[in-house]
Structures are given as C-alpha cells and as structure tokens.
C-alpha cells in the first residue's frame, strides 16, 4: 500500500480537460517531482492534492484515508508556494507559529517548535524580522519552515525555486532535499526545470497535456526516455530518423549508414522510426570494437565553456555532439570530414 | 548618472544645463509660493495676531465660543459618520467587486462609476438628493404612496445631520472604493491558500491575515475621507443654504460678511479647520507608508 | 464560498440601488415641469437662458485657461525634476499634494486676505485681476491631478535617453520639450486635463467667494429660485462629469496601449 495514492483522477474546466486519468502511487518518505511545461497539468494535480481544486473524477488517498473532498484546512498538508506567500504582517517567528496557533498549541510548545524549525532551515537569528526584510531565498526557507512546523503528512512544493536567482536556486534545492531526507517526509515537487527534477527526486513524473508521459527514476528518465516528448523535454537530444533493416538482429540505418541498437526496434523492415542520441554519448573518432560509426561533416561549433558543442551533418540530418574543452585537443575545422561514433546502448528508440 | 554626464560634457556646459533646469522649475515654485503657500500662511498667521498685528493667542482662545464649539462638534460628527460609513461600505463594495466572485464586468463598471461619483460633489449633488429625498422627492413620494410611510413625519430631514451624511456618502463611498481597491488587489491568493493548508478557517484568515494587512489602508482611507468631508462647502451650502452651521459654512458666511464680527476670529476658525484636515492627512500618510512597506 | 458570494451580491445590489436611485429620481424630476406630461421643457428653459449660456461659457473658458497654465507650469517642472533635479522630487510632490490637505475655502480665504484692494498686489480690485486670481486658484486646485498624471506619463517614457538622443541631434531644450517630450506624454496630459476640467467646470467655493459669475454659483442661484430646472442642471453636470471620466479612460487606454507596444 502506498502512502499517497492518486487513482485515475481527471479535471475538466468545462470542455477543457486539464488533467486526464492520472494514476500515481507515492511511498512514504519519497520525493516525487512532477515535471513538464506550463499548462501540462502538473500544478493542477498538486492543487487537487492540496484541496484547492476538486477532481472531476477519481480519488486521492493519504495513508488509506480518502481525502478527495475533505477541506484543505483538515488535510494536514504543508505547502510552499512560488513566492510571496509569507504573511507580510507577521514576523518570521509568527509566520512559523501560525499553523500551531490555529491548532491551539500552548505558547511554550509553539516557542520551542519555532526555534526548532528556524534551526532546521539554518536561519536561527531571523525570528524577529519581517518578510520584507528578507531576501527571496530566506523567505522561501521560512516558508518551508512554516509548512513543516505543523508536522504535515505530505509536503507540497509548487515551483518554490522559480522566482530565485540561479545561484540561490542551486543551494536551496540541495537544502530542501536534505531537510526532506532528515524528516523523511513524503514530498511532491512541481517544476518545469528538468535539472531541478533530476537532481532532487527519487522518482520523476514527466507530464504533457494532462497525461503522464513517463514515470521513473531520474536516471531512467534521462537515459531511457520512452517517448519523443520526454526525450526532447529532458536534456539536449538529437532526434533522427532511422530505417529498420532487420528488427530481430537490431540492425538499422541512419542516413544510409548501418548502425546497431541494444533493443529491438518495433516495426517492419524498411519502416522509418525515430531514434535519439544525447550529445555527450557521441565522440569524434576513436571507434570501439562494437561501436556505431557515421561519416559526417562538421558544420558548426559552439563554445560553451567546459564543453564545445559540435554540429555535424550526415546526409540531410544534423547531429549534435559534445567535446570536452581540453588544452591539448584542437577542435575540428568547420567543413572537415569526420567519423563520429557511439555505443549501441546509447541509441534510444522512441515509441512515438 | 552624474559622472557619465560629466564625462560627456564640458564643465561650462554643465553649469548652463543646471541653470536651465532651475529656470525650468522656477515658475512652479513662484506659483506655489504665491497661490498656495503664502496665502495660507498669511491667513494662518492672522489667527495669531490682534488688530494691530501683535502676536496673541486670544483668537484661538475665542474659538471656545459656544456657537463655534457647536459647529465644530457638528462638523466632526458629520465628517466622522460619513467617513466611517463610507469607509466600511466602500471597503465591502470594493472587496465584493474584486474577490466576491461576481461577474467580471462589475469591477470596471464600479471603478469608472466611482471616478465619476467621487467628482460629482457640490451643488449638482445637492440637487440630485433634493429630487430624491427632499419633501417632494421621488423616493419620499414613492414610500408615501406605496407603504403609506412619510419619512419626514418619521423624523427624517434631508437638511439635517442624517440627510447631509447620506448625501456626503455619495462621494465618500466611491472615494473609498478608489483608494482601497489597489490594497485589496495586493492581497495575494497564496496567503489565503497558505492559511488554508495551515488549518485556518475563513474567520481566522480574516482575523489574523486580511484585516491586519488591510487595517492601515482602511484606517488611512478613513482619515482621508474624514478630511474630505470636513473641508467640503458646496454640497452642504446648496443643500441647507447655511441653515446647518457646520464649520466650512460658518467660515463661508464669515468671509462673505463677517458674521462673527471679528476678522481675526475668522482666521482662527480657518486655522482650526486646517489643523484638523492637516492632522488627518498626516496620519493618513504615516499609515499608508506602513502598509506599503508590507506589500512591497 | 456560497455565503461570501451571496454577501458580495448583496453589497453590489445595495450599492447599485444607492447610487442609481438619485440619478433616476433626478432625471424623473427634471421631466416633470409640465404638470401632466413628461417633457424636456426644463432643459429647454435652462439651455436657452442667456445667463446659463454666459455662465457656462465663462466656466468653459476658465477651464481651458486653467488647463493651459497648468500644463505650462507642471510639464517643465516634472521634466526637470525627473531629468536633472531628482532631489527636489519629495518637495515638489509635497507641494502638489497640499491642495488635497488644505480645503479650498481656506485657500480662497487666503487670497482674499493677500490680494485685497489695500494689499501690495490688489488683484481683486479689477475684474481682470480677479479672473487671473481665479484661474491661478483653479490651477492650484487641480495641481494634484495634473502633476500626478504628467509625472506618471514621464516615468513611463525614458526621459533621459530621449533627451540625450535629441541633444545628440543638436536640439535645444525648448525644442526637446515641445517636439520630443510633449508628444510622448500626450495621453497623460489629456488625462490630467479631463480631471482638471471636471473639477473646474462646476466649482462653487472659489467663484462664489471671489464673486465671479461662473457655472457653480449660477447653479446655486437657480437651486434657490426654481424647482425643476436644478434637476435638469444636475443631470447636465452629471453627464459632463461622466464624459470627462469616459474621455479620461480613453486617454488612459491609449497610454497603456502605447506602453504595451513598447514593452
């Protein structure tokens, strides 16, 4: 039995279906990310868990209790919003104490709990400040402390890092993850940033147009995207068309040059299918014993700091590949002919 | 800014340019001095001078005359009542239009109408209320005919305290709507949601979050409405034709014909008015800056 | 949720009743001049009254003069404060807000004391002098609206860059103000102008105490003498105010549109 069970929920606004038949089982203590572009329904799923929206169909259980139609106030969940959600008229300490005060805890208990929460988010000295005196990153830490103070059953994070500067974003996501691990709290995190989702989560749910596209560990999502959408949304990827030569023998051609794949492609001989390659899986030269090799021409080089992204053309298709920026290796000249190689394992076969 | 400009232009040019700037704003300051600041100061100085121009507090002390105290009391009562009712109902109306779940066309309609109505003060407003609630007004007649209820027999009089207050509300409520709507807009949806997830009921949310956040704006607006009513002359004059002796009307009659038989007492009366409107405006500014600090 | 909705509806309906009732009543009243039928007779009488015509024309001219003087004073001030004298901003803002703090009756009382016949500048001695005093008084009254409108307009355009661009092309500052800045804040100026117009056209206290026959005192006089004509005049005044606010919104919409296009 999972701790948080989402069973076949849908949400329609009139004729407009925002969430379609989403099924999701989340274990106790797990950190799950809902990843997708804006409008994919990820926020609506979160808001249905929170109780701000009622599903048109389906049920949501927490710890075997059906909460689908229960008031938000009685669900005992913690939530952190994108920004500006601290009460501006209260000090940091009073913000954190708010839920406890509502619950009617004794002032001694509240005081202790507030101090504990301030320590947890590493801002022990800021209890007397007002939100407008804090930086964005500090405000979000306090918002986290406020959400956690009531010891919620589930923690919901609605793009909590999107409004922050890049540097603070990275440090705060590590911190959120470490607090989550320490407390072992079941967490659902909504984001449109694949890097956040991949780096923080136990499992990632990629959503598109109200549906779950793929559910898996970050490694699975990145290395074995199952659909074209997931492949293109997560990381940089070159999608190529390939032709099946022999499905059982896992032989194909890309721009009329033979390659092998690890998994058998589904389809008849001569059928065109989509395959994908990550730039970091391809190298120039140095073919291995079992590797696939393609002859191509260099047409563009982009310098990105630690790596160089090279665009090569093979037939009519462009392929991106990454080279480390090393002092000894010289980048190839534009226009020169090269052989690029990659392992059959890295050739991803896309279903759709 | 300044350093880049200095590098662009020679120093002589710079002096030129600042001179042009000062010349450019000079008409404004001359105008403000001649038609705003000096006349007011001169008038207020008169409150502290006797007939021979000697410094005295006697004029201020003379304000304690029973008739003057009575008009200050009446003025305060009308201004405070119309400001209080106007602030409360204006707040409810603005909140209803912004967050009340009414159709979306109501809000722009209310805002435009408030812009018109808050400017529709003075003589025409008095006419409108005479046509509505005067002795032969439409509503008076309708109540008489349909319910056989004569509001004048029941003690209502448009030319009285309640009549004037009711009339003032016609510009007080819209003014409140105009001032308070931005503050209500500043209430974030996330606050409501955060307070829900933390277990609070609607009443608790109002008590601990909405009212404390809006309180400075509401109180500040009340003071602005109060000052607004306290200084108004035309509506009351056209409605009651100086039968209701509120301070502005008393001052109006004094300017017209020295009804107090003491010019310096007139200046003292003016000083009393400015003191009251000035203090309420000052408090309004203090309260507003406090609410802006939070909302920022 | 249902309850709060009900309350909101109640407030809106109550508000609509309170605000519409006087308008309906006044309009109905204004049509009742002929005993047994509704007619626009009261409007006809008012509009053909030569005193009304002269009072209204007089107020109209005053309003236009006020707007012109207001623009001449406010625009250069806002421009220089924005561009070169930002330290003066709080002072200027404070001064422009004074007319909201000091009641009109106090200001005009001050005029009467300062510019009376025995003073150093006896403006009230002559009709022309009094008219000048009245115009400047109205400029003072409308200063808060005019300044705020123009200032907002100036902030929405980049005055500094526009000026430097014009200077680099060899323009002098009168040219810059007239042909670069002014056209760019036209809708802001219009907003200020309509608000000024709405304030000035029916103003009573200043005109009455300075003894000038404008529209405001005329209204008051008719109110004291007649029964149905005042209602007609109230409707006319309301329509004028409404027109000003309507034009204000059109001007504001144009300004927002222009800004939106830039962003």
């Amino acid at each position: 039995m999972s701790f948080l069970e989402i069973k076949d929920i849908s949400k329609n606004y009139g004729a407009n279906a925002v969430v379609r038949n989403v099924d999701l089982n989340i274990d106790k203590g797990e950190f799950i990310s809902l990843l997708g572009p804006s409008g994919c329904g990820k926020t609506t799923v979160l808001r249905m868990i929170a109780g701000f929206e009622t599903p048109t169909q389906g049920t949501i259980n927490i710890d075997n209790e059906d909460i689908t139609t229960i008031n938000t106030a009685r669900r005992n969940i913690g939530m952190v919003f994108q920004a500006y959600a601290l009460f501006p008229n209260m000090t940091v300490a009073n913000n954190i104490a708010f839920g406890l005060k509502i619950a009617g805890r004794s002032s001694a208990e509240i005081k202790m709990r507030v101090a504990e929460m301030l320590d947890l988010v590493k801002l022990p000295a800021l209890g007397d400040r007002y939100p407008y005196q804090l930086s964005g990153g500090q405000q979000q830490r306090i918002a986290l402390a406020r959400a956690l103070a009531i010891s919620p059953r589930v923690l919901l994070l609605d793009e909590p890092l999107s409004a922050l500067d890049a540097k603070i974003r990275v440090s705060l996501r590590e911190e959120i993850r470490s607090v989550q691990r320490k407390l072992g709290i079941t967490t659902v995190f909504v984001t449109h940033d694949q890097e956040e989702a991949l780096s923080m989560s136990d499992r990632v749910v990629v959503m598109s147009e109200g549906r779950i596209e793929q559910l898996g560990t970050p490694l699975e999502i990145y290395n074995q995207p199952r659909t074209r959408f997931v492949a293109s949304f997560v990381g940089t990827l070159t999608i190529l068309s390939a032709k099946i030569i022999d499905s059982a023998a896992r032989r194909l051609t890309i721009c009329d040059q033979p390659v092998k794949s690890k998994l058998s492609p589904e389809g008849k001989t001569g059928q065109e299918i989509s395959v994908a390659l990550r730039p970091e899986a391809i190298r120039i030269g140095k073919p291995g014993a079992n590797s696939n090799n393609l002859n191509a021409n260099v047409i563009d080089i982009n310098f990105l700091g630690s790596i160089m992204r090279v665009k090569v053309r093979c037939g009519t298709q462009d392929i991106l590949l990454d080279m480390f920026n090393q002092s000894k290796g010289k980048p190839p000249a534009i226009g020169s002919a090269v052989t690029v190689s990659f392992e059959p394992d890295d050739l991803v076969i896309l279903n759709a | 800014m300044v350093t880049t400009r200095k590098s662009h232009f020679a120093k002589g040019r710079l002096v030129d340019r600042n001179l042009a700037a000062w010349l450019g704003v000079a008409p404004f300051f001359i105008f403000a001095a001649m038609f705003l600041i000096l006349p007011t100061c001169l008038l207020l100085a008169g409150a502290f001078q006797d007939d021979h121009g000697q410094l005295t507090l006697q004029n201020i002390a003379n304000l304690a005359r029973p008739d003057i105290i009575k008009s200050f009391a009446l003025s305060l009562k009308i201004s405070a009542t119309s400001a209080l009712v106007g602030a409360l109902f204006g707040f409810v109306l603005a909140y209803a239009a912004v967050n009340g779940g009414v159709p979306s066309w109501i809000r722009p309609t209310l805002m435009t109408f408030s812009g018109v109505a808050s400017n529709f003060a003075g003589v025409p407003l008095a006419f409108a209320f005479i046509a509505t609630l005067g002795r032969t007004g439409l509503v008076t007649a309708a109540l008489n005919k349909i319910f056989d209820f004569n509001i004048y027999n029941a003690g209502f009089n448009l030319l009285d305290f309640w009549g004037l207050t009711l009339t003032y509300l016609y510009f007080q409520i819209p003014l409140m709507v105009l001032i308070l709507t931005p503050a209500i807009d500043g209430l974030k949806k996330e606050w409501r949601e955060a307070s829900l997830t933390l277990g609070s009921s609607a009443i608790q949310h109002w008590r601990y979050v909405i009212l404390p956040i809006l309180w400075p704006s509401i109180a500040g607006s009340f003071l602005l409405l109060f000052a607004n009513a306290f200084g108004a002359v035309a509506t009351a004059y056209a409605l009651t034709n100086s039968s209701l002796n509120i301070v502005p009307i008393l001052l109006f009659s004094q300017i017209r014909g020295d009804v107090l038989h003491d010019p310096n007492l007139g200046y003292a009366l003016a000083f009393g008015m400015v003191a009251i409107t000035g203090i309420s405006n000052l408090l309004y500014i203090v309260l507003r800056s406090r609410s802006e600090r939070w909302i920022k | 949720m249902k309850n709060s909705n009900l309350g909101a509806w109640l407030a809106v309906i109550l508000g609509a009743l309170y605000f519409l009732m006087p308008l309906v009543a006044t309009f109905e009243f204004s049509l009742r001049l002929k005993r047994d039928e509704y007619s626009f007779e009261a409007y006809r009488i008012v509009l053909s009254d030569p005193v009304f015509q002269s009072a209204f024309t007089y107020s109209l001219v005053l309003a236009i003069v006020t707007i012109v003087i207001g623009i001449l004073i406010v625009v250069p001030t806002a421009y220089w404060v924005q561009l070169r004298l930002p330290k003066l901003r709080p002072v200027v803002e404070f001064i422009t807000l004074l007319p909201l703090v000091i009641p009109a009756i106090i200001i005009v009382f001050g005029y009467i004391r300062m510019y009376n016949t025995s003073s150093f500048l006896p403006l009230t001695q002559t009709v022309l002098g009094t008219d000048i005093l009245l115009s400047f008084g109205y400029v003072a009254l409308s200063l808060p609206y005019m300044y705020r409108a123009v200032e907002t307009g100036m902030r929405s355009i980049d005055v500094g860059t526009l000026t430097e661009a014009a200077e680099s092309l060899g323009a002098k500052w009168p040219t810059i103000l007239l042909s670069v800045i002014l056209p760019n804040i036209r809708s802001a100026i219009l907003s200020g102008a309509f608000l000024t117009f709405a304030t000035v056209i029916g103003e009573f206290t200043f005109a009455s105490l300075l003894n000038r026959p404008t529209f405001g005192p005329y209204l008051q006089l008719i109110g004291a003498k007649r029964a149905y004509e005042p209602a007609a005049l109230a409707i006319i005044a309301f329509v004028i105010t409404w027109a000003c606010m309507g034009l204000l919104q059109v001007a504001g919409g144009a300004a927002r549109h222009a800004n939106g296009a830039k962003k």
Side-chain angles (χ1 to χ4, degrees), chain A residues 47 52 73 77 84 86 89 132, chain B residues 191 193-194 196-197 208 212 293:
Chain A
R47 292 174 64 80
F52 301 141
I77 43 169
Y84 313 118
L86 290 179
N89 57 317
Y132 73 93
Chain B
W191 295 338
E193 291 177 347
L196 273 178
T197 60
Y208 294 122
R293 190 185 69 184

Side-chain angles (χ1 to χ4, degrees), chain C residues 19-99:
Chain C
F19 285 110
L20 295 180
M21 201 79 93
L23 297 178
V24 173
T26 310
F27 185 62
E28 199 266 353
F29 202 78
S30 74
L31 300 178
R32 280 203 304 207
L33 186 90
K34 286 187 178 166
R35 290 270 165 243
D36 31 315
E37 54 167 337
Y38 281 144
S39 72
F40 286 94
E41 188 62 13
Y43 293 86
R44 198 195 56 76
I45 294 177
V46 163
L47 293 175
S48 59
D49 178 2
V51 185
F52 164 81
Q53 289 167 359
S54 72
F56 193 79
T57 316
Y58 185 55
S59 279
L60 206 65
V61 173
L62 259 178
I64 292 166
V65 171
T66 301
I67 288 167
V68 171
I69 300 175
I71 292 171
L72 286 178
I73 289 178
V74 163
V75 172
T77 308
Y79 173 74
W80 289 117
V81 166
Q82 174 105 337
L83 190 64
R84 208 77 75 200
L85 305 166
K87 275 185 196 153
L88 284 183
R89 183 192 297 278
V91 182
V92 171
E93 262 175 14
F94 176 75
I95 291 173
T96 58
L97 287 177
L98 276 181

Side-chain angles (χ1 to χ4, degrees), chain B residues 42-55:
Chain B
L42 209 64
L43 187 68
L44 298 185
F48 297 94
Q49 287 172 342
D50 62 18
D51 293 339
H52 311 287
Q54 299 297 306
L55 203 63

Side-chain angles (χ1 to χ4, degrees), chain C residues 17-190:
Chain C
L17 272 179
Y18 173 74
F19 285 110
L20 295 180
M21 201 79 93
L23 297 178
V24 173
T26 310
F27 185 62
E28 199 266 353
F29 202 78
S30 74
L31 300 178
R32 280 203 304 207
L33 186 90
K34 286 187 178 166
R35 290 270 165 243
D36 31 315
E37 54 167 337
Y38 281 144
S39 72
F40 286 94
E41 188 62 13
Y43 293 86
R44 198 195 56 76
I45 294 177
V46 163
L47 293 175
S48 59
D49 178 2
V51 185
F52 164 81
Q53 289 167 359
S54 72
F56 193 79
T57 316
Y58 185 55
S59 279
L60 206 65
V61 173
L62 259 178
I64 292 166
V65 171
T66 301
I67 288 167
V68 171
I69 300 175
I71 292 171
L72 286 178
I73 289 178
V74 163
V75 172
T77 308
Y79 173 74
W80 289 117
V81 166
Q82 174 105 337
L83 190 64
R84 208 77 75 200
L85 305 166
K87 275 185 196 153
L88 284 183
R89 183 192 297 278
V91 182
V92 171
E93 262 175 14
F94 176 75
I95 291 173
T96 58
L97 287 177
L98 276 181
L100 295 180
V101 180
I102 309 168
I105 190 168
I106 302 293
I107 299 176
V108 70
F109 196 8
Y111 287 1
I112 291 168
R113 181 170 155 91
M114 187 165 163
Y115 299 110
N116 63 35
T117 42
S118 53
S119 71
F120 73 106
L121 187 61
L123 281 176
T124 54
Q125 202 163 31
T126 60
V127 169
L128 180 68
T130 314
D131 281 345
I132 291 172
L133 191 57
L134 191 54
S135 305
F136 277 104
Y138 283 167
V139 173
L141 279 192
S142 59
L143 201 56
Y145 312 110
M146 199 53 148
Y147 187 80
R148 203 167 51 179
V150 170
E151 215 251 347
T152 313
M154 289 252 185
R155 273 192 200 203
S156 72
I157 61 170
D158 190 348
V159 170
T161 311
L162 277 179
T163 302
E164 280 173 5
E167 274 179 337
S168 74
L169 297 170
K172 293 264 180 293
W173 76 261
T175 322
I176 297 173
L177 257 183
L178 269 177
S179 53
V180 179
I181 303 297
L182 219 51
N184 274 301
I185 56 165
R186 198 173 43 205
S187 56
I189 291 179
L190 275 178

Side-chain angles (χ1 to χ4, degrees), chain B residues 17 34-35 100 166 170 256, chain C residues 5 18-19 111 115 167 208:
Chain B
R17 294 156 63 83
M34 282 184 67
F35 296 101
L166 204 62
Y170 204 83
R256 271 278 173 81
Chain C
N5 234 330
Y18 173 74
F19 285 110
Y111 287 1
Y115 299 110
E167 274 179 337
S208 173

Side-chain angles (χ1 to χ4, degrees), chain B residues 200-276:
Chain B
S200 82
S201 64
I203 292 171
Q204 283 168 324
H205 181 61
W206 271 87
R207 180 172 156 206
Y208 294 122
V209 183
I210 295 188
L211 286 180
I213 290 173
L214 287 184
W215 160 244
S217 307
I218 295 174
S221 310
F222 164 79
L223 289 163
L224 203 72
L225 262 56
F226 175 81
N228 187 40
F230 201 87
V233 181
T235 313
Y237 187 76
L239 201 61
T240 69
N241 207 358
S242 74
S243 72
L244 202 62
N245 250 331
I246 56 175
V247 178
I249 296 231
L250 185 63
L251 188 60
F252 190 86
S253 313
Q254 164 70 8
I255 301 170
R256 271 278 173 81
D258 194 16
V259 291
L260 300 171
H261 310 294
D262 179 356
N264 288 314
L265 189 54
Y267 304 144
L269 200 61
F271 173 79
M273 263 186 90
V274 173
I276 287 172

Side-chain angles (χ1 to χ4, degrees), chain A residues 25-270:
Chain A
N25 291 310
I26 302 170
D27 288 331
K28 196 169 176 110
E30 201 178 7
F31 192 114
I32 286 261
S33 290
L34 304 182
L35 173 66
S38 64
C40 73
K42 57 188 192 299
T43 302
T44 310
V45 171
L46 194 79
R47 292 174 64 80
M48 287 192 282
I49 302 173
F52 301 141
E53 314 274 355
T54 314
T56 316
Q57 168 206 314
T59 56
I60 301 172
N61 293 353
I62 296 182
D63 206 4
N64 284 327
E65 177 198 356
D66 184 347
I67 56 149
T68 318
T69 55
I70 286 182
N71 278 341
T72 301
R74 302 206 342 258
R75 289 191 184 199
N76 191 22
I77 43 169
M79 185 148 174
V80 178
F81 301 83
Q82 189 166 353
Y84 313 118
L86 290 179
F87 303 128
N89 57 317
M90 299 178 199
T91 60
V92 162
N94 285 337
N95 262 287
I96 298 174
F98 185 80
L100 303 166
K101 201 166 112 189
I102 295 290
R105 305 288 177 79
S106 75
S107 59
E109 191 190 342
I110 292 176
K111 207 173 160 192
M112 239 172 65
R113 184 75 177 153
V114 168
E116 192 186 325
M117 286 296 124
L118 283 170
D119 281 339
L120 184 70
V121 297
K122 299 188 180 129
L123 294 172
L126 297 188
D128 294 330
R129 300 268 188 94
Y130 279 90
Y132 73 93
Q133 294 167 313
L134 306 181
S135 69
Q138 288 172 331
Q139 288 194 33
Q140 287 305 65
R141 285 178 196 213
I142 300 301
L144 182 65
R146 181 179 69 179
L148 291 171
I150 55 168
S151 312
R153 292 189 288 185
V154 175
L155 178 63
L156 305 178
L157 306 171
D158 185 7
E159 307 234 11
L161 307 173
S162 306
L164 305 175
D165 297 337
K167 266 196 184 142
I168 296 163
R169 211 147 57 196
V170 172
S171 70
L172 198 54
R173 80 185 182 208
E174 284 159 10
E175 193 152 333
I176 289 176
R177 180 60 163 150
S178 89
V179 167
Q180 186 268 338
R181 280 216 176 96
K182 196 186 286 175
L183 302 179
I185 185 165
T186 313
T187 302
V188 182
F189 177 76
V190 159
T191 182
H192 64 270
D193 183 320
Q194 40 126 343
E195 199 181 306
E196 276 172 16
L198 296 178
S199 67
M200 294 170 81
S201 322
D202 294 315
R203 284 190 295 160
V204 177
V205 180
V206 183
M207 291 186 66
S208 162
E209 292 178 357
R211 286 198 180 83
I212 293 182
E213 287 276 331
Q214 189 171 355
L215 167 62
T217 64
L219 222 59
E220 284 166 0
I221 296 285
Y222 191 82
N223 289 334
Q224 288 134 40
R226 273 213 305 268
T227 65
R228 203 185 169 95
F229 176 82
V230 177
S232 59
F233 191 76
V234 180
T236 309
L237 213 112
T238 312
I239 296 179
L240 299 164
S241 86
K243 199 179 279 178
I244 302 177
I245 301 300
D246 183 343
S247 176
R250 306 188 292 268
R251 289 199 293 131
L252 312 105
T253 58
I254 294 175
C255 43
D256 296 328
Q257 303 183 43
V259 293
K260 277 183 283 179
S261 65
K262 191 187 175 200
L263 301 170
S264 310
E266 283 172 35
K268 292 193 274 296
T269 299

